[in-house]
């Protein structure tokens, strides 16, 4: 059952609510949106977490995911990343511990993005939070859900308030009837982006799987093994991309390994069994730590465009011990087709690019090799050693690369570079269109396309060139709707509107006699 919770120590805490908290509302909602600005301040939440005994947890998050220029996430709640990873895995149950409003938003978003599985929730109020009853409720929920006939693992995610209050998920049992229990803290004041929150859960699962593999035999992959050394891929990507990468690995005598985050538990063992790990998304810090602890070399970048594919094949060969002649032969076979695909689908125009998925630098490389001018790339993700090759390649071609970019910096790029097309997040796209600049939403229209190998070369041209061709249409629309939604037409008055002048009432003229009417 694991360590037990010292309920007496928890009950010794003061039950007085923090300053500014509406206690009546908090009893119903567990703080949440009723806490007031002071209680929801990042520094206050961090101080509360330290005082609650989770200082080391917060310190570990800071080491893995250093903050950027903004104090709070400027995108969706980061915990969505961990929730998404758990909901996409077979035989995995997910339980959220957080304020009701947060859980509602996360559940709504998860189903909006296609989740077809129930999200568990353990409600709380001010009393159960302070006295430790919330932890007992979570433990009861885990025991109720941990059915080995249905689940390999149960994931429990602490959101902001339970983390700041010190709810100790580390004291949950490690397993129940063979079902693994994975407890993680994913507070918005400790994990900057939802992309990195994927790494929080994937890394926690890899750690457990690595310990299991070290203790003895584990389950084989569902699809079996073909005997060749394999390369594990790190980072969520468009479904066609792993297939393209597999085609690039084949002439090197290598097999395609699992993609992490995985779709079921047994794939974690196969991922750890890979000869090397390709960090397609370079910010998976916790996962990288587990792979390196397992003795697996990790290398960055991805096979995007001509130059990116050439450098990536060299990196694969070095990491997996493939003969240089074999790598050279594969490059001679693959690269001409990529060069031809790029030449057949040129992109002409100045494009600024920003996003929070982690693949922004890869997309920028592909746009540049397609002929576009890309003066600015902003990513909400951090700079790591695995992103250096992409950064250096882009900077050598005049691109400013901004890691941990804030919305303000992304918007400033519109002013500084006057692009023909802006690719970015929702607020960037909105601001660009207000200025009659064609714009595309990165997540749905760009990252949801193949980027790797021959299929990736030219894949962006159709949607990008179509958007570039809309400049005149945007200008015409702006001219037609000029002034609408601005100033007084926006429905917002800076001053009290003046009353219109009184109408002059004209004297009533008598009707002429009937005989005089025309």
């Amino acid at each position: 059952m694991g360590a037990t919770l010292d309920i007496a120590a928890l009950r010794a805490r003061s039950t007085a609510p923090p300053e500014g908290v509406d206690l009546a509302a908090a009893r119903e909602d567990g703080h949440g949106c009723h806490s007031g600005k002071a209680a929801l301040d990042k520094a206050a939440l961090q101080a509360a977490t330290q005082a609650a005994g989770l200082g080391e947890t917060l310190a570990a998050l800071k080491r893995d995911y250093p903050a950027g220029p903004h104090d709070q996430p400027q995108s969706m709640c980061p915990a969505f990343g961990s929730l998404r990873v758990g909901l996409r895995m077979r035989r995995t149950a997910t339980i959220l511990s957080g304020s009701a409003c947060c859980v509602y938003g996360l559940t709504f978003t998860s189903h909006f993005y296609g989740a077809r599985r129930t999200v568990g929730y353990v409600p709380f109020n001010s009393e159960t939070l302070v006295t430790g009853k919330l932890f007992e409720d979570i433990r009861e929920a885990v025991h109720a859900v941990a059915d080995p006939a249905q689940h390999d693992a149960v994931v429990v995610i602490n959101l902001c308030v339970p983390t700041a209050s010190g709810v100790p998920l580390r004291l949950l049992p490690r397993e129940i009837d063979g079902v693994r229990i994975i407890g993680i803290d994913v507070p918005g004041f400790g994990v900057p982006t939802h992309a990195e929150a994927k790494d929080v859960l994937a890394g926690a699962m890899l750690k457990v799987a690595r310990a299991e593999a070290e203790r003895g035999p584990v389950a084989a992959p569902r699809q079996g093994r073909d005997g060749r050394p394999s390369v594990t891929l790190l980072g969520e990507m468009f479904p066609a991309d792993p297939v393209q990468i597999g085609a690039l690995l084949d002439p090197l005598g290598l097999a395609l390994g699992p993609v992490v985050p995985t779709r079921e538990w047994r794939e974690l063992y196969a991922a750890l069994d890979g000869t090397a790990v390709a960090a397609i998304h370079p910010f998976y810090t916790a996962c990288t730590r587990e792979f390196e602890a397992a003795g697996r070399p990790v290398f960055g970048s991805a096979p995007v465009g001509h130059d990116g594919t050439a450098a990536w094949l060299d990196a694969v060969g070095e990491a997996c011990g493939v003969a240089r002649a074999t790598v050279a032969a594969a490059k001679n076979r693959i690269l001409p087709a990529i060069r031809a695909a790029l030449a057949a689908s040129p992109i002409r125009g100045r494009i600024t690019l920003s996003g929070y998925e982690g693949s922004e630098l890869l997309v920028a490389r592909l746009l540049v090799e397609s002929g576009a001018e890309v003066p600015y790339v902003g990513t909400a993700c951090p700079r790591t050693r695995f992103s250096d090759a992409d950064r250096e390649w882009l900077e050598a071609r005049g691109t400013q690369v901004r890691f941990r970019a804030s919305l303000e910096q992304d918007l400033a790029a519109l002013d500084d570079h006057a692009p023909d097309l802006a690719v970015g997040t929702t607020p960037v796209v909105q601001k660009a269109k207000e200025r009659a600049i064609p714009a595309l939403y990165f997540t749905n229209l760009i990252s949801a396309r193949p980027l790797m190998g021959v299929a990736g070369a030219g894949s962006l041209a159709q949607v990008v060139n179509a958007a570039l061709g809309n400049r005149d249409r945007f200008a015409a629309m702006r001219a037609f709707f000029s002034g609408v939604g601005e100033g007084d037409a926006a429905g917002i008055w800076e001053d009290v509107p003046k009353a219109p002048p009184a109408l002059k009432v004209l004297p009533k003229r008598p009707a002429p006699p009937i005989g005089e009417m025309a």
Side-chain angles (χ1 to χ4, degrees):
M1 292 294 294
T4 58
L5 180 64
D6 187 350
I7 298 296
L10 282 174
R11 294 188 189 279
R13 296 182 190 174
S14 170
T15 57
E19 183 179 353
V21 173
D22 181 344
L23 183 56
R27 291 186 194 279
E28 298 297 325
D29 188 54
H31 300 293
C33 300
H34 307 290
S35 300
K37 182 176 180 180
L40 293 176
D41 178 73
K42 179 179 180 180
L45 288 168
Q46 290 177 337
T49 305
Q50 293 277 358
L54 292 187
E56 177 52 37
T57 297
L58 190 59
L61 291 175
K62 285 184 177 181
R63 287 193 299 269
D64 285 350
Y65 316 109
H70 38 278
D71 289 336
Q72 294 293 334
Q74 292 180 297
S75 62
M76 67 181 71
C77 170
F80 174 66
S82 293
L83 178 62
R84 177 183 174 92
V85 168
L87 290 178
R88 296 180 74 185
M89 290 185 68
R90 298 185 186 95
R91 293 178 53 82
T92 299
T94 303
I95 298 174
L96 294 178
S97 170
S99 299
C101 52
C102 301
V103 172
Y104 169 79
L106 286 168
T107 305
F108 176 88
T109 306
S110 67
H111 290 297
F112 179 82
Y113 279 90
R116 298 181 179 179
R117 196 176 306 167
T118 299
V119 179
Y121 170 46
V122 181
F124 66 91
N125 56 36
S126 192
E127 181 179 354
T128 62
L129 184 68
V130 173
T131 62
K133 181 64 166 60
L134 173 58
F135 178 82
E136 295 176 343
D137 292 343
I138 292 173
R139 186 167 54 188
E140 289 178 9
V142 167
H143 276 274
V145 172
D147 179 359
Q150 299 184 51
H151 300 124
D152 294 327
V154 175
V155 176
V156 185
I157 302 175
N158 260 352
L159 304 181
C160 289
V161 173
T163 295
S165 302
V167 176
L169 297 184
R170 65 188 182 279
L171 298 183
L172 290 172
R174 298 298 177 88
E175 68 173 49
I176 300 172
D177 295 332
V179 179
R180 304 157 187 88
I181 310 301
I182 311 291
I184 57 174
D185 293 271
V186 193
F189 56 87
V191 182
T193 67
H194 83 281
E196 290 161 286
K198 297 175 185 177
D199 178 52
V200 176
L201 180 53
M205 288 183 163
L206 278 171
K207 184 174 183 178
V208 174
R210 181 169 65 85
E212 292 174 351
E214 290 173 348
R215 287 197 297 267
V218 293
R222 184 183 299 271
Q223 70 277 14
R225 302 171 61 183
D226 67 3
R228 293 180 295 173
S230 64
V231 175
T232 297
L233 305 183
L234 187 53
E236 282 192 315
M237 62 197 81
F238 186 72
D241 281 335
V243 177
Q244 289 296 312
I245 292 175
L248 297 177
L249 295 173
D250 187 67
L252 301 181
L254 301 173
L256 177 69
V259 178
V260 177
T262 62
R263 294 303 182 96
E264 66 177 316
W265 188 271
R266 64 172 64 190
E267 289 181 355
L268 293 166
Y269 307 131
L272 289 163
D273 193 44
T275 301
V277 179
I280 304 297
H281 288 189
F283 55 84
Y284 279 77
T285 304
C287 289
T288 297
R289 181 166 54 245
E290 297 306 320
F291 283 122
E292 291 182 336
R296 303 299 185 258
V298 182
F299 57 95
S301 195
V304 291
H306 177 278
D307 292 1
T309 301
W312 191 82
L313 289 172
D314 286 336
V316 172
E318 181 177 353
C320 298
V322 179
R324 291 187 178 182
T326 302
V327 175
K331 290 164 65 175
N332 290 337
R333 171 184 169 186
I334 295 166
L335 295 180
I338 294 177
R339 189 187 297 276
L342 291 169
S345 304
I347 297 173
R348 299 286 183 262
R350 183 184 301 117
I351 302 172
T352 58
L353 189 148
S354 55
Y356 45 64
E357 301 293 340
S359 57
E360 290 76 27
L361 274 64
L362 301 180
V363 172
R365 289 191 64 154
L366 195 52
L367 290 172
V368 170
E369 285 213 42
S370 298
E373 176 189 353
V374 183
Y376 173 86
V377 176
T379 175
C381 295
R383 174 180 171 178
T384 71
R385 56 193 167 106
F386 300 117
S387 60
D388 282 345
D390 298 324
R391 174 186 57 79
E392 292 167 0
W393 189 93
L394 288 166
E395 289 178 344
R397 287 153 181 80
T399 300
Q400 177 192 15
V401 179
R402 177 82 68 177
F403 294 97
R404 285 284 188 244
S406 66
L407 173 60
E408 292 75 16
Q409 291 167 331
D410 291 341
L411 294 178
L414 297 178
D415 296 325
D416 296 342
H417 302 292
D420 301 307
L421 173 69
V423 177
T425 57
T426 301
V428 172
V429 168
Q430 175 186 356
K431 186 62 67 174
K433 289 182 177 180
E434 287 178 358
R435 301 179 185 181
I437 299 173
L440 295 172
Y441 180 38
F442 183 90
T443 299
N444 286 4
L445 297 175
I446 301 298
S447 68
R449 292 175 179 273
L451 301 176
M452 315 296 171
V454 178
S459 68
L460 300 180
Q462 182 178 5
V463 64
V464 169
N465 285 331
L468 286 169
N470 282 334
R471 188 67 185 253
D472 292 341
R473 180 180 298 177
F474 272 84
M477 289 170 46
R478 183 177 175 84
F480 181 82
F481 291 103
S482 178
V484 175
E486 300 176 358
D488 289 347
I492 300 173
W493 289 273
E494 299 294 337
D495 301 310
V496 178
K498 295 180 180 179
L503 295 175
K504 184 178 180 180
V505 180
L506 298 176
K508 187 174 183 180
R509 296 177 58 187
I514 294 177
E516 298 179 10
M517 292 183 65

